[in-house]
Amino acid sequence: MHHEDPQPMEFGPLGPLKGAATVPGDKSISHRALMFSALARGRSRIEGLSGGGDVMSTAAAMRAMGATIERAADGAWEVDGVGTGCLLQPANALDMGNSGTSTRLLMGLVASHPITVTFVGDASLSKRPMNRVIEPLSRIGAEFTAAPGGRLPLTVRGICPATPASHVLKVASAQVKSALLLAGLNTPGETRVFEPIPTRDHSERMLRHFGVDVRVGEHDGGRDIRLMGEAELQARAVKVPGDPSSAAFLAAAALIVPGSDVLIQGVSINPLRAGLFELLQLMGGDLVFENARDADGEPVADIRVRHSKLRAVTVPDRLVPSMIDEFPIWFVTAAFADGTSRAEGLGELRVKESDRIAAMAAGLAAIGVRAEESPEGLAIEGNGGTPVRGGGTIASQLDHRIAMSFAIAGLHADQPIGIDDMAPVATSFPPFRETIESLAA
């Protein structure tokens, strides 16, 4: 998915946001549901799959390696898997578009299969570092050829049988952990991953749902994950909950726009993903979980959010990994709080779709918000809840989260805020604008 034509848009005040809304299916869970279904024997059915471009990149890749993936008349997806160890050699390079998750997880999957696969992506993805996955996967016997700096285009020569290994994660990354577990599925013996800082555990939960022997222990504050290969995945029905990263934008909008009262239905509240919601509550945000329930091993709830007077906060270190994708929208929310908010330990944000610390600092300055950048963080001076100045045009840098964050800021601004390109939003939240407008109607 390459964005040739920019889609500039303006966002200004629309009045209070009220009513109920849903968000696209969780992107992280959607990627894994497709990959695991494609590895299972038999037909799996997936409801609520994210229709964003990133997840469609994963679907196209799994089709290219032998799985049959089709959308049923009722909107669900049906996947006929090939079985572990039976991935086919794709005829062409796999185009990952903008999806870092697809790329890193599939590198792991391919590493323990006897096939050679080349990954390509758009300009933004081609800047992102892949060495963090290349290095541990090389230890099991896979071979890699990458562009300078361990970047795309990149070729993986998988090995079968791969050598089972124990890994200690150097970076808190659910993508690296998941890549290693996926490689372990077709590796004889036990694959072990120790993560000193726990990261989102969708892979572990869903692998169990597909019948894989995954054990998780805790020690020294970290998590020790063991997986027995060669694993036979059983076809399953999967219901994908709403994406908390997408829900974050609606929650922020409801908190900052006076008179708002919004119910976001059926959202994943996995504790390793819900850090932002906890932080918004710490800031005095009126945000409550209602109708909590379980969906295929994932905790789900409806989130009720009302306009609130927010106070500044320093982000606790323990919450950083569970809200790493939500920092752009949190920076915007902090601009409306009372006092100066601070976050540190965010070095990971500099290697996302864009350098999110620099991009957000520049964008905040452009709309009249004082923000001070540090090597691994940002301090944001809040205005106590009055509208931001607005005006100006934000350079989104092909980053969907930057674009959506400043769009939300425009809902409580003196002058509309221009976004240079809203096209990348299709990777995660295609009906973003329509959803906001329906709540304002």
Side-chain angles (χ1 to χ4, degrees), residues 275-286:
L276 176 77
F277 303 130
E278 186 180 331
L279 188 63
L280 294 174
Q281 289 170 330
L282 286 175
M283 296 172 77
D286 183 353

Side-chain angles (χ1 to χ4, degrees), residues 312-324:
V313 69
T314 295
V315 181
D317 293 344
R318 66 179 177 83
L319 289 181
V320 171
S322 63
M323 58 176 286
I324 199 72

Side-chain angles (χ1 to χ4, degrees), residues 385-397:
T386 58
V388 292
R389 187 190 72 214
T393 297
I394 302 297
S396 65
Q397 305 191 23

Side-chain angles (χ1 to χ4, degrees), residues 8 14 27 56 62 68 71 91 93 96 107 118 130 134 152 165-166 171 205 256 273 319 324 333 383 401 412:
L14 296 168
K27 217 163 54 129
M56 294 302 107
M62 298 318 297
T68 305
R71 191 157 196 184
M96 298 287 99
M107 284 165 65
T118 299
M130 298 296 159
I134 292 173
L152 269 53
S166 292
V171 185
R205 287 171 183 262
I256 65 180
R273 291 286 300 284
L319 289 181
I324 199 72
T333 310
N383 64 15
R401 299 199 199 278
H412 196 40

Side-chain angles (χ1 to χ4, degrees), residues 96-133:
M96 298 287 99
N98 186 240
S99 182
T101 304
S102 305
T103 310
R104 291 180 177 136
L105 269 57
L106 290 172
M107 284 165 65
L109 195 52
V110 167
S112 60
H113 282 75
I115 56 178
T116 298
V117 177
T118 299
F119 295 96
V120 297
D122 70 8
S124 161
L125 182 61
S126 300
K127 292 192 188 112
R128 297 177 71 177
M130 298 296 159
N131 281 331
R132 57 178 60 177
V133 192

Side-chain angles (χ1 to χ4, degrees), residues 366-389:
I367 63 170
V369 177
R370 291 176 70 104
E372 194 173 326
E373 202 178 327
S374 63
E376 291 215 347
L378 204 58
I380 301 105
E381 202 175 296
N383 64 15
T386 58
V388 292
R389 187 190 72 214

Side-chain angles (χ1 to χ4, degrees), residues 55 64 97 104 109 134 143 205 214 224 246 259 270 275 336 343 349 369 382 386 421 441:
V55 172
R104 291 180 177 136
L109 195 52
I134 292 173
E143 294 181 3
R205 287 171 183 262
V214 181
D224 185 34
S246 296
N270 182 309
F336 296 93
L349 295 189
V369 177
T386 58
D421 186 9

Side-chain angles (χ1 to χ4, degrees), residues 9 14 31 34 75 80 138 169 342 354 375 379 388 391 400 404-405 436:
M9 285 186 197
L14 296 168
H31 285 300
L34 283 171
D80 289 310
S138 298
L169 292 194
R342 292 185 167 79
S354 64
V388 292
H400 55 132
M404 288 186 280
S405 296
I436 297 286

